[in-house]
Structure formats: C-alpha cells, structure tokens
Amino acid sequence: MSSRVIRSHSKGSSKSKPLSPYLNTVYDQLNEQIDRILGDFTPTAKVTISYQKLYKFVEFLCRDKMQSKIAATLFEKLDAFINKIADIIYQAYWDLGHDELVGRFVELATIIDVKVTALEKIHLYLDRTYLLNHPAKKTIVRHAMCTFVESCAGVDNGNGDEYKKDVLYQVVMEFTFILGKLRDGNLHVEPLLLRSYHYLHKIFYLTQRNDYLDNEIFSRQEDFYQEEQDAIITCRDTSPELPDFIVARCDSADEIFDTMYKMILRELQFWGKTDADDKFKLKIKEYAVENLIFHDFDKQAVQFVKPLFVSKNYLGVSRMFKFVINSSTSISSNKYLKTFLNIWYSYVCDYLHLLLKDTQQDMVEKLIKAKKNLTLIMQKYMDSNSEVEFKLREAFRTSLHSSNKDTEILSKLLKYIDNFFKTVDPSNTEDNLKVVDDLYLIFKSVKTKATFIKQYQRDLSRRLIIGVSKDKDLEKSLISKIRNEVGDEDSKPLLTMFDDLQINETVASSFKEKLSTVEANSFTGFDPLVLNSKAWPIPKASIKIPDEMNDLMTRFQKFYLETHDKRKLNWCPALSHMTIGAHFPKGDKELQVSSFQGIVLLLFNDHDKLSFNEVKEMTELDSKSLSSILYSLTSGRYKILKKDSAGIYSMNDEFEDRKKSIKVKQIQMKLKNGEDEDVWMQEVDDNVFKADRDEITKAFIVREMKSEKEMDHDVLMKKTVDRFVVESAEVKRIIQLLLDSEYIERIETDRYRYIP
C-alpha cells in the first residue's frame, strides 16, 4: 500500500463566534455536496445544487470569516479521497504491465482532475481571495497535486529524492518506455501518451518538479536516438514493424539522412500536440538532432552527408546544413561545420577528378559549368555561406593542381580565354565578371604559370593589334587578378600593352595633322603602332617590304623620331596585318591577312606563277616562315593559291565563297621542309598545341584515305611523316584513334580501307 497523507488542518480559533442557523445550513449543504462529488471513483462530479448557488454559499461563508474552516474541511476530505486513489495506483503497479499501468494512471488522474476541477469551481471565491494570497496555503489544484505526489511516495522527508522511488516514478518510467514504442513507429500508443503526458506535466509542474519529468524524457531520448543512429547507418533493422514513413533499414546510403529527418519530424509532431511549452519543444528538437545526427558526427557523417550530394538530394543538403548552422552552441556548431565542409570539399574533389578523366576539347567549358552549378548549389541550399564558398574554391585549386594534366588544362584554358574575349557581350557585365573569376580560379591551379603568361601575352597582343577584343576593361580585370598571383614583374608587360594603344591614338592623330591633304590620302589605311619592345612579344621573322609600303614607313619613322630622339624604331611586319582586294573570275573579295601573307599575295600582281625559291628570293623570308605562309594559302580553309605537282604556285581561279570579306588564318602547325607554326607563336612550347596538331594530322590521314580508298600501313606512315614533323609512334597512335572511331578499317594485317 502507498503511504497515506494525513494532515492536521486547523478549522479556526476556538473563540470564534457560533454560526447563525442560516450559515450552519449553508455550511452543511456545502459539505454534503463535497461528499457527493468525492463519494465515487468515476470521472464525474454530480451535485444536487447548482454550481452557481454553491459558489454563493462559499462566498457567504468567507464573508463571515469562515475561510480557514472551509479550507480545512475541503482539504481533509480531498486528502482522504486522493489517498484512496493512490492505493488503487499502487495496486495497479503490482498487477498490471507497462501500458496497463499508464492506462490506469490516466483513468485515475482523469477522475482526480474532474473532481478537483469541480471543487475549484465551487470554491473559486475561497481560492482567489484566501488561498492564493496566504503564504502558508496552496491553491486547491496545487494542494491536490502535492497530496497526490506525496500519497504515491509517502511524505517527502526533505532530501528531494524519496519521491523518486514511488509508484509515480514508475509511471514516468513506463511513459518513457511507451514513448519509445511511438518513436519506433507504433502509432496506436499516441493517444495514451498524449493523455498521460498531459497529467504528468500538470502534476510535476504544479508541484514544481517538472525538471525531473523533463530530464527523464531527455535521458531516454538520448539513449534511444544514439542506438537508432547506429541501426540506421549500419542498415540493421531493430524495429521490424516500422511503417513506411520511418524506415530504419535503408536501401541505399542517400536514404539514411531522410530516415533520420523523418524520425525527428515525427518527434516534433508528437510534442506539438502536447501542452509542453516552447522551451521544452526546442530542447526536444536539439536533443533529437544532437543524438540522432550529430552523435559521433566526425566519424559517421561521411556515410550519410556525402551521399546527399552524390544523389543530388539538395533538399536533404539544405536541411542538413541548417541543422549544422543552428546547432545549440557555437563550439559544437564550429565542430560540425568543419566536418560538413570537409565532406563538401571531398565531394567537389571527387566530382572534378571524374570530370578531368576526359580530356575533351571542351574541358574548360565543363569546368566553368561545373563551377557555376556548384556555386548555385552553395547559394541556394547552403545560404551562400562564405566558408562553404572558400572550400569550393580550395577544392577546385587542389583538384586541378593534382590532376597531372597541366599541359591539357593550359592549352584549353588559353584557347577558351582567347575565344571568350573575342566573342564576349560587354553588356553582360555581371555574368562576364563571374566567368573571369572562374578563369582565374583555373589559372591558379596551373603549375606552369610562366608558360601561361608567355602565351597569354602573345594571344593578347594579337587581339589588341587586330582589334578583336570585345571588352578591354574585362581583359584588364583578368590581368589584375593574374597580377595578384604572379606579381607585378610578370604582369606589368600585359598592362603596358593597353597603355601603348592609348598613347598610339595621340601619336596617330599628331602624325595625320602634319600631313597635307594630298599626303593624307596616300596614307589612308596606314595605321602604324609604336609598341614597347619589353612588353610586346616580337617575332624574329622578317620580310622584304615593298617599296610603296616602305615609303610610308620611312615617313612615319622620321616624324616619330623628331619628337622621340632617344628612341629607336624597329619595324615588325610579323605583327602587322592588312586588307587587300583580290579579283577572282567568280567574284571579287576582300582578304584580311597577315602582312607576310599579304606581301606574298601581292607578288602575283606581277607574276602568274612562282616557285617556292622565287617567292623566297623576292620576299627574303626564311624557309620555315615561307612554308607556313604558303601552306596556309594553299591548304587552309580558303585556298587562295594553288600548287601544282611541280611545286609551282599560282592564283586559284576556281576560288569562290559566299562571303565578300574573308579572314585567312595561318595554320598553327609545324611542317616538313621548314614549314613552321604561325609566326605569332614561333616560341611557344611544342606541347601547348599538341591537340591542334593531332586534329590536323587526323584530317590529313582521312583526306589521303578518302582519296586512295585503300592504302598500306607503311605508305600511309611515310606520307604522314614526310608531311609533318611528327614521330612514328604518334602517327601510329593517331591511326589507332581513327580505327577506333571507325573512320578507317583494317582489311589485312598492314592495310587500311576508308569507311565512307
């Protein structure tokens, strides 16, 4: 049996005056109704006098100074009733199981609640005017709850622990046990839990012991979720009857976090239905997240966070990131964020390593697109966090730097930059600056930065001289970033180029002002540029300048040195370009060519046919440069000249093209018989344009095979090696690529056939 609570309730002073017959009657009728309410163990409060009239009875008695007597009588009857309830609960503890005990507690707590609520309603005047303001008294509800707790545990001896050994403590234990069933997915126990928590919360709150109940719930929650985390991650089903919304066995790694999130959501949904305060609910959430997600986070996170990125579960990424950022303390937040960032870094590195396995021509485009997509993920799902962005950039640098593809990255980066500045739309300032940032990020990963600067300088000089750069300010923006990486010494020549162009505008204007009208007409189309030899790449090749062009150059040189007598001018026709008119039987054209190409073409004004040696003698070009120029005019996209079997060059009378103005490019290729790369790039590392040479060699082999239909291996090898400066092993490799791509097929051991 439980310990009974027996209190001595003072009923007032012995010297108090006797009651009038009316008040005696009222007093007796009041007590009769109290006995009627407490006379059974059902959740009812039957009275024969209305509650309004009973309230008036109490008010009359209190106004006659009978508060103490009424309170003493009420509490004495209430204590006796609650003692009997405690006896019933105590017996249920021995006779019933987990759910039954909690169910019995709910039934009896409901009875007490109904009875006490009725008594409080009747004695509301007493409660508000006397008990609430009395320093030694409790309100009716608080008195009832204290009596109930003490009846279950015995009278508190003052050490604060004895009540923990009582039946009520067992009810709390059983409540947390049943709560575990709900967390495991047994929804049938939820109504019982809601009702039992309602009464447990009320009892412990009114007796100022709510910390005890909360701590027990938190403790059991901590144990449960730590065990559940292990079960979910190891895919060990500890709860075979879980419903679909909360599956402990995960079919794949990317489902682990979603399962955890559903469990937390289910926890919060349950407590949202209770009358727990917001502070408690927040702490419940923190405990669930801390123990289900962040328990051993530094070890376990890789198993369920990284799969979110891999499976593109960005909603899960967003939820996970919010948990990390909103973790309860700054210390834990920093610790969890560090782990999260390391996983993000690892994912980006893996993603880029996979991307870099393929060395296709659009590598830079794919890298920039990948950077853009990853940035969007960071902005949309990780709140544009600066630390996440830093890790993204760090992962890019590390991945590219360690890819062992520096040559391929360098080559494709330079080509992308050159094409970007030739085609960029200056009006899209914001987007363009983002691209520049991405290009700089890729540049920082390049190991051979000196090679990059050297080739970038040559590309830039071409764009500036020909005037094909669409946005010079954007070019300067990239150079400024490059300067941060390589320093002023290596980047200064790049900025000097822009200064030279600006100065030349003034020089050109001053020169034309000094010319007479007649002289000015002869100088139309002549636009000299004075370039700093320390800033601009100066090709070594030279050519004999035609007399009419030489006169113009001499006149300008005299003008310039009159005001700059301490300087020396050296003409660099290899950097020049010109536009010439050409008459073909099938239509006149304007040809945009380099000065070397133009001077060679001008020879055919006076000669119908010329041999290689004759052109060489007239132009005084070296064999390598001349071979490259003739090759570009006879074998490039636009075949301005033709070459017969005897090696004699002449104008191609069959040439035609729908465009009026044609830009004739030089071939970036090193050929036999002195044929060389584009004169703009003579000093470029041979590896930089390996991909270009491969494509041109492929094109040559395909043309030969298409023409001959079938060819022996040795004949094909000899033709290719004779044509290009290339190793036999490289030719074999390219032939194998063509076989794999089904451009040609092997019909015998050493013979190939063209596939239409």
Side-chain angles (χ1 to χ4, degrees):
M1 298 291 289
S2 64
S3 299
R4 292 178 175 272
V5 175
I6 302 175
R7 293 190 180 91
S8 174
H9 298 288
S10 174
K11 296 185 179 181
S13 171
S14 58
K15 295 182 179 180
S16 60
K17 64 179 180 179
L19 297 176
S20 66
Y22 172 74
L23 290 178
N24 264 325
T25 301
V26 168
Y27 181 74
D28 291 342
Q29 288 179 346
L30 177 62
N31 286 325
E32 180 185 348
Q33 297 302 313
I34 293 173
D35 292 339
R36 183 178 290 274
I37 291 171
L38 301 177
D40 59 40
F41 296 101
T42 62
T44 59
K46 299 177 181 179
V47 292
T48 57
I49 303 175
S50 70
Y51 283 99
Q52 185 176 6
K53 192 170 183 180
L54 291 172
Y55 175 85
K56 289 294 184 181
F57 285 176
V58 173
E59 183 179 356
F60 292 155
L61 294 171
C62 288
R63 291 184 183 278
D64 206 45
K65 300 182 179 181
M66 291 184 62
Q67 299 98 320
S68 179
K69 182 177 181 179
I70 298 172
T73 302
L74 172 62
F75 288 160
E76 185 177 315
K77 293 177 182 293
L78 189 56
D79 290 350
F81 176 79
I82 291 176
N83 280 333
K84 292 176 182 179
I85 293 289
D87 290 343
I88 297 173
I89 293 179
Y90 185 79
Q91 189 61 44
Y93 166 68
W94 292 105
D95 298 341
L96 304 177
H98 301 295
D99 294 8
E100 292 86 352
L101 175 60
V102 175
R104 191 62 171 151
F105 162 75
V106 170
E107 292 175 6
L108 296 171
T110 303
I111 292 171
I112 293 176
D113 189 54
V114 171
K115 306 291 189 184
V116 172
T117 300
L119 294 174
E120 182 185 35
K121 187 176 180 181
I122 293 169
H123 296 82
L124 188 61
Y125 188 86
L126 174 73
D127 210 38
R128 295 296 180 265
T129 60
Y130 176 64
L131 298 177
L132 189 62
N133 300 311
H134 198 292
K137 302 289 184 180
K138 299 181 180 71
T139 62
I140 296 170
V141 176
R142 184 181 293 276
H143 177 90
M145 295 301 104
C146 290
T147 301
F148 183 60
V149 170
E150 293 169 7
S151 296
C152 290
V155 178
D156 188 1
N157 63 2
N159 60 22
D161 292 328
E162 185 155 340
Y163 71 91
K164 292 183 181 179
K165 301 175 184 178
D166 65 13
V167 179
L168 197 56
Y169 169 75
Q170 295 303 323
V171 172
V172 173
M173 294 300 99
E174 301 307 336
F175 168 81
T176 57
F177 177 79
I178 300 172
L179 185 58
K181 291 184 178 181
L182 177 67
R183 289 168 176 158
D184 281 338
N186 186 349
L187 300 181
H188 300 296
V189 300
E190 184 176 279
L192 176 61
L193 285 170
L194 290 173
R195 294 182 65 196
S196 58
Y197 180 77
H198 168 74
Y199 291 120
L200 287 171
H201 174 70
K202 186 173 183 178
I203 291 168
F204 284 105
Y205 177 77
L206 290 174
T207 57
Q208 298 181 339
R209 294 172 176 175
N210 51 306
D211 286 346
Y212 163 67
L213 176 63
D214 294 351
N215 290 337
E216 287 298 328
I217 292 173
F218 294 144
S219 176
R220 294 301 180 95
Q221 183 190 39
E222 179 178 345
D223 295 340
F224 173 83
Y225 280 126
Q226 288 183 8
E227 293 172 4
E228 200 65 19
Q229 184 206 59
D230 179 64
I232 295 172
I233 291 177
T234 58
C235 294
R236 175 169 51 82
D237 190 352
T238 56
S239 306
E241 298 182 356
L242 295 183
D244 292 338
F245 70 86
I246 187 168
V247 183
R249 185 186 297 278
C250 301
D251 294 332
S252 59
D254 61 288
E255 294 180 5
I256 293 177
F257 177 78
D258 286 343
T259 301
M260 292 176 170
Y261 185 78
K262 289 175 183 177
M263 295 186 74
I264 294 172
L265 194 62
R266 176 61 190 164
E267 181 85 23
L268 298 179
Q269 287 174 344
F270 168 74
W271 291 108
K273 298 174 184 178
T274 68
D275 37 10
D277 58 30
D278 291 340
K279 183 179 179 181
F280 175 84
K281 292 174 184 176
L282 177 60
K283 198 168 183 180
I284 279 286
K285 179 182 177 181
E286 291 174 353
Y287 262 70
V289 173
E290 187 72 25
N291 293 288
L292 183 60
I293 293 179
F294 291 136
H295 178 61
D296 283 340
F297 189 64
D298 55 335
K299 299 176 183 177
Q300 304 283 25
V302 69
Q303 300 188 59
F304 61 89
V305 177
K306 192 170 184 179
L308 295 176
F309 292 108
V310 175
S311 64
K312 299 182 179 180
N313 182 357
Y314 299 129
L315 179 59
V317 170
S318 177
R319 289 168 173 168
M320 182 69 242
F321 185 73
K322 284 182 171 60
F323 282 147
V324 170
I325 294 299
N326 297 328
S327 54
S328 56
T329 65
S330 58
I331 296 176
S332 62
S333 176
N334 291 336
K335 180 176 66 175
Y336 301 148
L337 181 58
K338 182 179 179 181
T339 301
F340 182 89
L341 291 174
N342 288 338
I343 292 173
W344 165 244
Y345 173 87
S346 173
Y347 164 72
V348 174
C349 288
D350 291 347
Y351 179 78
L352 293 176
H353 287 156
L354 186 63
L355 183 67
L356 290 170
K357 279 185 178 180
D358 192 4
T359 57
Q360 64 274 66
Q361 292 297 315
D362 59 349
M363 177 189 291
V364 175
E365 289 91 330
K366 289 195 172 183
L367 285 172
I368 290 177
K369 184 177 180 180
K371 172 63 166 48
K372 180 180 179 180
N373 291 339
L374 291 168
T375 300
L376 287 174
I377 293 170
M378 180 270 299
Q379 292 173 342
K380 186 172 181 179
Y381 300 104
M382 290 175 274
D383 301 333
S384 298
N385 183 274
S386 59
E387 294 183 71
V388 176
E389 183 177 10
F390 176 80
K391 275 292 182 182
L392 172 60
R393 290 179 172 275
E394 185 181 357
F396 253 82
R397 288 194 298 269
T398 303
S399 299
L400 297 180
H401 196 71
S402 62
S403 65
N404 296 321
K405 294 187 176 182
D406 206 58
T407 300
E408 291 90 340
I409 294 173
L410 175 63
S411 172
K412 293 175 174 60
L413 176 61
L414 286 165
K415 288 186 177 181
Y416 185 91
I417 291 174
D418 191 48
N419 184 65
F420 172 70
F421 284 116
K422 288 178 180 178
T423 58
V424 67
D425 181 359
S427 64
N428 296 329
T429 304
E430 185 175 351
D431 292 339
N432 293 341
L433 289 175
K434 289 180 180 178
V435 175
V436 167
D437 286 339
D438 294 339
L439 292 173
Y440 174 61
L441 182 61
I442 299 174
F443 161 73
K444 290 180 71 174
S445 71
V446 174
K447 298 176 184 176
T448 54
K449 291 182 173 59
T451 303
F452 174 90
I453 295 295
K454 189 174 184 180
Q455 182 53 39
Y456 179 77
Q457 185 180 17
R458 293 178 181 274
D459 291 344
L460 177 62
S461 68
R462 184 193 315 191
R463 291 194 296 273
L464 295 179
I465 289 175
I466 299 177
V468 293
S469 180
K470 299 290 186 180
D471 192 335
K472 293 185 177 62
D473 289 335
L474 196 63
E475 294 254 24
K476 292 180 182 179
S477 175
L478 178 59
I479 294 172
S480 297
K481 292 180 180 295
I482 291 174
R483 181 175 59 185
N484 294 335
E485 186 71 14
V486 301
D488 290 337
E489 183 176 351
D490 290 332
S491 61
K492 186 177 179 180
L494 303 177
L495 294 173
T496 301
M497 292 181 180
F498 291 95
D499 296 337
D500 284 352
L501 292 181
Q502 190 171 358
I503 293 172
N504 269 286
E505 292 180 4
T506 304
V507 172
S509 177
S510 300
F511 175 62
K512 290 180 180 180
E513 286 177 0
K514 286 205 169 188
L515 298 175
S516 65
T517 304
V518 175
E519 289 177 320
N521 291 334
S522 64
F523 278 85
T524 300
F526 177 68
D527 298 303
L529 292 176
V530 180
L531 308 178
N532 189 323
S533 60
K534 293 182 180 180
W536 296 77
I538 308 298
K540 296 178 181 178
S542 61
I543 192 171
K544 182 179 179 181
I545 306 296
D547 291 340
E548 60 271 24
M549 293 176 60
N550 198 45
D551 290 342
L552 300 176
M553 294 163 58
T554 302
R555 178 65 187 275
F556 175 79
Q557 185 171 359
K558 180 181 178 181
F559 157 76
Y560 185 81
L561 294 179
E562 285 176 355
T563 54
H564 302 82
D565 57 340
K566 293 184 179 181
R567 295 185 181 180
K568 180 181 179 182
L569 288 183
N570 292 313
W571 290 95
C572 301
L575 293 178
S576 304
H577 61 280
M578 61 177 65
T579 300
I580 61 177
H583 173 72
F584 295 96
K586 295 185 178 182
D588 295 344
K589 304 293 179 185
E590 284 187 356
L591 304 180
Q592 299 177 30
V593 293
S594 70
S595 61
F596 282 14
Q597 290 172 319
I599 290 172
V600 169
L601 288 174
L602 289 174
L603 296 177
F604 291 92
N605 283 333
D606 302 321
H607 306 276
D608 293 333
K609 296 182 179 180
L610 290 171
S611 67
F612 181 90
N613 289 331
E614 287 174 334
V615 175
K616 180 180 178 181
E617 182 180 352
M618 293 178 182
T619 59
E620 298 181 1
L621 275 168
D622 62 272
S623 296
K624 290 183 179 181
S625 299
L626 179 58
S627 295
S628 176
I629 292 166
L630 290 173
Y631 185 83
S632 68
L633 295 173
T634 58
S635 302
R637 179 178 177 182
Y638 302 107
K639 297 175 177 57
I640 309 298
L641 301 179
K642 62 183 180 180
K643 178 182 177 184
D644 61 21
S645 58
I648 302 301
Y649 297 90
S650 62
M651 293 298 292
N652 181 11
D653 293 337
E654 300 299 319
F655 177 77
E656 62 177 331
D657 193 90
R658 63 183 181 83
K659 292 187 291 185
K660 176 72 174 175
S661 180
I662 296 171
K663 184 175 182 179
V664 183
K665 295 183 178 180
Q666 296 213 64
I667 304 298
Q668 297 174 358
M669 182 69 185
K670 185 172 285 188
L671 307 169
K672 281 286 185 179
N673 301 321
E675 293 178 332
D676 206 324
E677 291 178 333
D678 185 345
V679 294
W680 291 76
M681 306 178 187
Q682 288 177 3
E683 300 177 12
V684 179
D685 188 336
D686 189 51
N687 289 325
V688 172
F689 296 105
K690 180 177 178 296
D692 277 348
R693 293 197 298 274
D694 285 356
E695 292 302 315
I696 294 174
T697 307
K698 283 182 186 178
F700 172 78
I701 293 174
V702 170
R703 284 198 303 271
E704 291 296 315
M705 289 298 303
K706 186 176 182 180
S707 173
E708 299 294 331
K709 306 302 181 187
E710 294 182 7
M711 194 180 300
D712 289 338
H713 173 79
D714 291 341
V715 175
L716 183 58
M717 288 288 295
K718 186 176 186 306
K719 281 191 173 187
T720 308
V721 172
D722 286 346
R723 184 63 177 170
F724 303 118
V725 179
V726 61
E727 298 292 334
S728 297
E730 286 296 301
V731 178
K732 291 179 180 179
R733 180 180 64 81
I734 292 171
I735 290 174
Q736 185 59 49
L737 291 175
L738 293 173
L739 287 168
D740 294 341
S741 303
E742 298 183 348
Y743 283 97
I744 60 176
E745 62 180 351
R746 198 188 304 272
I747 55 176
E748 296 177 11
T749 305
D750 292 317
R751 190 169 179 79
Y752 306 110
R753 175 191 294 154
Y754 174 72
I755 300 176

